[in-house]
Amino acid sequence: MSKITIGMFAHVDAGKTTFAEQLLYYTNSIRERGRVDHKDAYLDAHTIEKARGITIFADQAVMSYKGTTYYLIDTPGHVDFSPEMERAVRVMDYAILIISAVEGIQGHTETVWQLLHKHNVPTFFFINKTDRTGADADRVIEDIRLHLTADVCPLTGSLKDGVVGEALMESMAERDEHLLDQFIAGTRDHAYWLSSLQAMIRSRRLFPCASGSALQDVGVSEFLDQLHTATTVDYDEQAPFGGRIYKIRHDSNGVRMTFIKALSGTLKVRDELCYPANEVQLCEKVTRLLIVNGNKSQPVEQVTAGDLFAVTGLTAAEAGQGLGLFSDRLVYEMVPTLKSKVIFDNQLNVKEVLKAFRILDAEDPSLNVVWEESLQEIHIHVMGVIQLEVLEQIVRDRFRLDVSFGNPEILYKETIQSAVNGYGHFEPLKHYAEVHLRLEPGERGSGMEFMNACHANDLTIGHQNLIRTHLFERDHHGILTGMPVTDIKVTLLTGAAHNEHTHGGDFREATFRALRQGLEKARNVLLEPYYHFKIKVELDDMGRVLSDIQKASGRFEPPQTTDTHAVITGQVPVATFMNYSTELASFTHGRGSIQLVFGGYDLCHNEQEVIERKGYRKDADPLYTSSSIFCAKGHGYTVAWDEAEAKMHLL
């Protein structure tokens, strides 16, 4: 029996959850169709989802159709919950992208499309709400051709009972020379054309498109049959086990559940799974295996390639991580650009609050929960205000804690624009470590890179590895605002230890001091997050938009225009544009559309203003100092960064 994972995607209010309800009904997975507005949808079962009428969590359902098991993942449609969606994308065999026949392609639609393209997920389009006033499926197909892919292909009347119709054959032949020869030669072997269609969809050379109304039950059963006919998978159950984690959750008793897609082999209860965690290889036994369907779960003894399931017994595995044959990790495309402080009554135990947020951090690593020891504050990273509102309710419902959040602030970063050497020495009485680093500017978006030019004769391999570990164990504060340092290439030049006096933590101290001392000498610059934007407006509104972009310190490409509309693309700081969608909707009377996607970090447009506002005192950071400690006559003494280099033992 084939097992196929299907992902459901859409902009908010395109009818995705209603469409999913119809699929579940037609496969006898549910007895009655639910509706979002009636708050009884099978997949939007969480209290928060029912209250808000939107999908927040990537939940799954299981359905069977004509001998095939389908795992259906309903993904969030709001941009604030994009990281949840992105984790789920990695385990999908196929995707269904639902677009409203009235509103057409919207900002989040294009974001989803780019994500599916990046991860090579074969995609079906369903144009929904064709029963509504103003619906125009043909116009939406043309927009798909223009803005998403020229390889969209209508399915209506072209694929039934395994028979590929002439119109579909012709569309396939237009995209493949061999198929063109077969079409001209009159080859009409149904099996041949069907297997060719399946191969073209799987390789993303063709994107089938159907239309109808999920609410009125028009076109959904036909689409289900076409989906079943046109999809195939090829998993190897005989290979060693390999899988990928797409979600972490905790049940009502606090038990950690790790949700996995099996990509190869077989996994049984009590089997051991090994994975990297905190720089070591951790091996743990699977204590339970569960097939999860909506809010129900069924224990099983084993799972095989293609299955979507949850396990208990893994204590430190992370969402986005590969297991077994797969050791890669997810590098997020959807990155939070805002930071917010957790506010709570001082009568609450801070350890309890932090524990709750550590659990949420395991479930959504993009939160990047940070405990600021010096401020006694908890900070989190978020996508937007809606996410904060939802988090507030989650913390109240799950942990019985009343919290709120400070106004979201932009997440700045720092880097250098000149190459320098940094030196750190740590030698209080009966301790010893010295580290020399070369700091060079890295490529934008590269993070921190490590290279090693230290010879084993100068410093043992163990100590060299320790220095590398300390460099990557946390974000390091820059000296302009205390924000994380990024896009730096760090080379270990040399170092020194003492046979008797070097203890645990000495190399951490020396490494941090060397990094900081180098930053003191370098030319430091502040970076801010940018959006890649795509704005579509009527020609009359183009001038206003271009002016707004310039005022927001953005850059734009020459607009693409038709007789009636203009499409403008470019880059703009998040800080100046995060609320622009509301402004655009106002002056275009809802006729303008905007897509905002995180476009990485670049030079801050108002660096000095931000530095002054942050008021960071580099000499008063309790976690970092650029000074070194030396020892003389049995006592340690501090040497300032600008004098320490001359006293280094290895120079």
Side-chain angles (χ1 to χ4, degrees):
M1 178 186 282
S2 293
K3 301 166 184 173
I4 301 178
T5 301
I6 306 284
M8 306 277 296
F9 299 87
H11 190 92
V12 173
D13 292 334
K16 170 176 54 67
T17 302
T18 305
F19 183 87
E21 293 289 311
Q22 292 288 8
L23 292 183
L24 293 169
Y25 178 77
Y26 275 114
T27 55
N28 298 314
S29 303
I30 57 176
R31 289 194 179 89
E32 294 182 8
R33 306 171 179 90
R35 283 176 53 168
V36 175
D37 52 344
H38 291 176
K39 302 182 181 181
D40 59 356
Y42 185 74
L43 282 168
D44 282 354
H46 299 267
T47 307
I48 301 171
E49 291 178 316
K50 289 178 180 178
R52 288 184 171 267
I54 60 172
T55 304
I56 294 169
F57 308 103
D59 284 333
Q60 67 266 7
V62 186
M63 61 188 198
S64 296
Y65 186 71
K66 295 186 177 181
T68 298
T69 297
Y70 291 95
Y71 292 100
L72 201 65
I73 301 181
D74 188 19
T75 65
H78 195 285
V79 67
D80 278 19
F81 308 102
S82 295
E84 175 90 353
M85 175 186 74
E86 188 172 4
R87 286 188 289 275
V89 167
R90 295 288 300 281
V91 301
M92 293 172 183
D93 299 309
Y94 294 88
I96 302 171
L97 179 51
I98 295 170
I99 303 174
S100 166
V102 181
E103 286 80 15
I105 293 172
Q106 296 171 276
H108 194 60
T109 317
E110 296 202 38
T111 303
V112 167
W113 175 253
Q114 290 176 6
L115 201 58
L116 294 173
H117 177 72
K118 176 192 173 186
H119 294 293
N120 294 310
V121 181
T123 304
F124 290 72
F125 291 100
F126 187 85
I127 301 172
N128 193 26
K129 301 190 176 184
T130 54
D131 58 309
R132 290 235 332 253
T133 303
D136 188 341
D138 291 336
R139 173 183 54 80
V140 175
I141 290 175
E142 285 308 309
D143 280 350
I144 292 172
R145 285 200 176 99
L146 183 64
H147 298 292
L148 304 184
T149 175
D151 294 317
V152 61
C153 181
L155 279 179
T156 309
S158 295
L159 183 63
K160 192 173 183 182
D161 300 326
V163 177
V164 178
E166 289 283 323
L168 190 48
M169 283 185 198
E170 199 169 336
S171 291
M172 294 164 63
E174 288 172 0
R175 293 166 173 83
D176 187 292
E177 286 188 19
H178 179 70
L179 291 179
L180 180 60
D181 292 341
Q182 296 299 313
F183 184 77
I184 293 172
T187 302
R188 295 299 184 266
D189 180 340
H190 295 315
Y192 170 80
W193 283 98
L194 180 58
S195 85
S196 298
L197 174 65
Q198 291 168 341
M200 289 188 80
I201 294 171
R202 201 165 55 242
S203 61
R204 288 178 53 88
R205 287 185 292 153
L206 197 70
F207 299 92
C209 180
S211 60
S213 168
L215 191 61
Q216 301 300 329
D217 192 14
V218 175
V220 180
S221 62
E222 293 85 352
F223 177 81
L224 174 60
D225 200 57
Q226 292 161 345
L227 179 78
H228 174 75
T229 302
T231 52
T232 60
V233 290
D234 184 21
Y235 286 115
D236 186 355
E237 294 186 10
Q238 307 308 314
F241 177 78
R244 181 165 285 117
I245 300 168
Y246 67 97
K247 188 167 67 172
I248 304 289
R249 289 290 181 269
H250 294 78
D251 67 14
S252 56
N253 297 316
V255 176
R256 183 184 176 111
M257 298 175 68
T258 305
F259 287 73
I260 302 169
K261 166 74 175 281
L263 299 172
S264 65
T266 299
L267 184 68
K268 298 178 181 177
V269 175
R270 291 177 291 282
D271 278 356
E272 198 170 60
L273 276 178
C274 296
Y275 57 92
N278 299 321
E279 302 290 331
V280 298
Q281 190 77 352
L282 194 60
C283 293
E284 298 176 310
K285 280 190 178 178
V286 172
T287 54
R288 293 182 81 204
L289 286 169
L290 301 158
I291 298 294
V292 178
N293 190 356
N295 56 11
K296 300 172 185 173
S297 58
Q298 177 189 347
V300 293
E301 284 301 307
Q302 71 171 41
V303 291
T304 56
D307 277 323
L308 219 58
F309 59 97
V311 309
T312 59
L314 304 187
T315 60
E318 298 176 2
Q321 185 173 28
L323 296 168
L325 284 182
F326 302 88
S327 58
D328 59 323
R329 291 172 182 265
L330 173 63
V331 177
Y332 288 98
E333 191 89 354
M334 307 296 179
V335 179
T337 56
L338 303 173
K339 182 172 80 168
S340 184
K341 181 175 77 171
V342 182
I343 300 171
F344 53 92
D345 194 298
N346 57 17
Q347 291 183 343
L348 285 177
N349 186 331
V350 66
K351 290 183 179 178
E352 285 298 308
V353 180
L354 186 57
K355 180 183 176 183
F357 276 91
R358 293 281 186 224
I359 290 172
L360 295 174
D361 193 47
E363 296 178 355
D364 180 2
S366 71
L367 284 176
N368 195 15
V369 174
V370 175
W371 168 245
E372 295 284 1
E373 181 71 40
S374 60
L375 302 171
Q376 295 288 293
E377 292 177 354
I378 302 169
H379 290 197
I380 61 171
H381 294 186
V382 291
M383 299 290 291
V385 176
I386 300 295
Q387 185 183 3
L388 287 177
E389 293 174 5
V390 168
L391 275 171
E392 193 173 315
Q393 192 171 342
I394 287 174
V395 174
R396 186 184 305 117
D397 293 349
R398 281 181 60 180
F399 306 106
R400 302 290 184 264
L401 297 171
D402 280 322
V403 302
S404 59
F405 298 95
N407 289 330
E409 297 179 4
I410 296 294
L411 271 168
Y412 294 93
K413 294 187 180 183
E414 297 183 30
T415 192
I416 59 174
Q417 289 191 326
S418 58
V420 293
N421 287 355
Y423 304 96
H425 190 93
F426 185 69
E427 193 188 0
L429 188 62
K430 295 187 178 180
H431 290 268
Y432 188 95
E434 184 166 302
V435 174
H436 295 196
L437 302 174
R438 177 74 170 167
L439 309 183
E440 299 171 275
E443 299 224 351
R444 195 70 74 235
S446 62
M448 183 176 284
E449 298 177 275
F450 178 79
M451 297 181 71
N452 195 346
C454 182
H455 199 282
N457 291 343
D458 299 326
L459 192 65
T460 67
I461 299 299
H463 284 138
Q464 291 177 30
N465 290 337
L466 201 56
I467 292 168
R468 183 190 185 282
T469 298
H470 292 321
L471 281 169
F472 285 100
E473 73 183 27
R474 58 164 298 152
D475 283 338
H476 299 285
H477 296 178
I479 64 172
L480 299 176
T481 60
M483 292 290 104
V485 172
T486 189
D487 300 348
I488 290 185
K489 188 189 298 180
V490 180
T491 302
L492 173 60
L493 300 176
T494 190
H498 191 281
N499 289 338
E500 294 180 26
H501 297 324
T502 298
H503 302 291
D506 289 359
F507 271 102
R508 175 185 284 109
E509 289 285 345
T511 300
F512 286 9
R513 291 163 194 266
L515 177 65
R516 188 75 164 195
Q517 200 259 359
L519 293 178
E520 293 276 14
K521 296 189 290 184
R523 184 180 169 217
N524 295 264
V525 290
L526 192 65
L527 303 176
E528 68 177 330
Y530 277 73
Y531 285 134
H532 284 311
F533 65 80
K534 183 176 183 180
I535 299 172
K536 183 181 178 183
V537 290
E538 294 176 351
L539 281 178
D540 289 346
D541 293 318
M542 181 175 71
R544 162 76 186 267
V545 171
L546 297 179
S547 174
D548 288 347
I549 294 166
Q550 289 176 321
K551 287 177 186 173
S553 301
R555 303 182 293 273
F556 53 82
E557 303 296 326
Q560 295 176 308
T561 59
T562 65
D563 290 342
T564 58
H565 286 82
V567 175
I568 307 155
T569 58
Q571 259 199 329
V572 66
V574 171
T576 59
F577 226 60
M578 57 191 297
N579 299 317
Y580 189 68
S581 56
T582 306
E583 189 178 336
L584 180 76
S586 175
F587 73 77
T588 65
H589 305 289
R591 292 191 292 270
S593 67
I594 183 170
Q595 177 202 6
L596 298 172
V597 178
F598 173 65
Y601 277 76
D602 211 337
L603 296 177
C604 181
H605 78 284
N606 59 338
E607 179 181 84
Q608 202 54 43
E609 179 188 325
V610 174
I611 290 172
E612 290 172 8
R613 187 172 74 241
K614 291 285 183 185
Y616 175 68
R617 295 170 56 205
K618 64 179 184 179
D619 298 326
D621 190 329
L623 290 177
Y624 285 94
T625 176
S626 50
S627 302
S628 282
I629 296 178
F630 292 85
C631 190
K633 298 179 182 179
H635 294 284
Y637 64 98
T638 300
V639 178
W641 69 269
D642 52 347
E643 299 174 2
E645 185 175 334
K647 292 182 173 288
M648 293 293 155
H649 291 181
L650 296 177
L651 288 176

